[in-house]
Amino acid sequence: MKNIVIITGASGNLGKATVEYFLRQQATVLATVSPGKSLGYQVEGALETFEVDLTDEIKVQTFVKDAAANFGKIDAALMLVGGFAAGNIDNTTGDSLKKMVSLNFETSYFVARPVFQQMKTQPQGGRLVFIGSRPALRAEEGKNTLAYGLSKSLIFKLAEYLNAEGASHQVVSHVLVPGTIDTPANRAALPQEKFSDWVSPEEIAEALWYLTSSKGRSLRETVLKMYANS
Ligand SMILES: NC(=O)c1ccc[n+]([C@@H]2O[C@H](COP(=O)([O-])OP(=O)(O)OC[C@H]3O[C@@H](n4cnc5c(N)ncnc54)[C@H](OP(=O)(O)O)[C@@H]3O)[C@@H](O)[C@H]2O)c1
């Protein structure tokens, strides 16, 4: 039976590589994009695209419940939505912190909560994968990206809590932590850097597939780092 996989942030750099990889593996992909937006690329396979504002908890809950009802199960959910903001304590206001928490944490939490509840009812459980960030783990980096680092740090704790509750239900959560991803935006922002030291979206997509397919069924490590040489 095909894997039914929710992928958020499907129009982003990591999102595109992940949707393409999962479709090549014959997964059924339920991809989300922001309201009024499209994927922005053509792809073949079992793909359904949904316009959902992931900062709206009720809308996300409806999307997940409808998906579970229509497809009969959810095997995996990949919470790829996120965004970056620079700034240390001097220039991080409460408002900028709230924006980062909404974009990086709430968009993951609002999907993870109903998905987790659905997976607990499934005999085979399921897998949730969140995308962390290195500044949340390394204070020397996080001090200059304070709101970003703080908002991503909540994801690590959430995954730990979900693993504590999900263990008896075969529901397993991971936080994949990329180093600098080789994206057009990062190449433009950091032209002096050696791009071959970065992790590619395709490498991350392959790791996400491993984690969520039968190949990774025994894996239990919560935090997985993919820094390459960055
Ligand atoms: N790039 C890096 O070097 C790096 C390093 C470490 C971790 N990460 C993390 O990796 C993940 C993917 O990064 P990326 O570079 O691929 O990001 P990206 O290209 O900026 O993609 C982010 C995606 O999030 C979607 N999105 C934003 N707000 C949304 C909302 N309210 N509702 C629904 N969708 C929304 C965007 O869609 P729309 O444009 O349609 O709104 C976009 O598809 C993020 O979590 C990021 O924090 C990135």
Side-chain angles (χ1 to χ4, degrees), residues 21 54 68-69 114 117 143 152 215:
Y21 195 94
L54 298 184
Q117 289 168 332
K143 69 179 188 188
K152 285 284 191 187
K215 288 175 189 243

Side-chain angles (χ1 to χ4, degrees), residues 9-15 32-35 37 52-55 79-83 103-104 107 131-133 148 152 178-181 183 186:
S11 62
N13 289 294
L14 180 55
T32 76
V33 294
S34 291
K37 301 239 178 119
V52 193
D53 178 1
L54 298 184
T55 63
M79 276 62 68
L80 307 187
V81 167
L103 181 58
N104 284 314
T107 57
I131 304 296
S133 82
Y148 175 65
K152 285 284 191 187
T180 308
I181 304 177
T183 66
N186 281 338

Side-chain angles (χ1 to χ4, degrees), residues 74-156:
I74 298 169
D75 295 299
L78 314 180
M79 276 62 68
L80 307 187
V81 167
F84 178 79
N88 66 3
I89 186 79
D90 291 332
N91 35 44
T92 299
T93 62
D95 197 39
S96 34
L97 178 62
K98 279 184 197 146
K99 280 186 188 142
M100 278 285 102
V101 170
S102 169
L103 181 58
N104 284 314
F105 180 68
E106 290 186 344
T107 57
S108 291
Y109 186 77
F110 293 162
V111 176
R113 184 168 176 262
V115 166
F116 186 84
Q117 289 168 332
Q118 165 64 27
M119 287 175 173
K120 278 204 297 183
T121 69
Q122 303 177 170
Q124 77 280 18
R127 291 259 167 172
L128 296 120
V129 189
F130 302 90
I131 304 296
S133 82
R134 203 164 46 186
L137 297 175
R138 282 190 193 166
E140 270 309 307
E141 289 182 35
K143 69 179 188 188
N144 293 319
T145 57
L146 198 73
Y148 175 65
L150 284 171
S151 63
K152 285 284 191 187
S153 69
L154 285 169
I155 282 174
F156 292 83

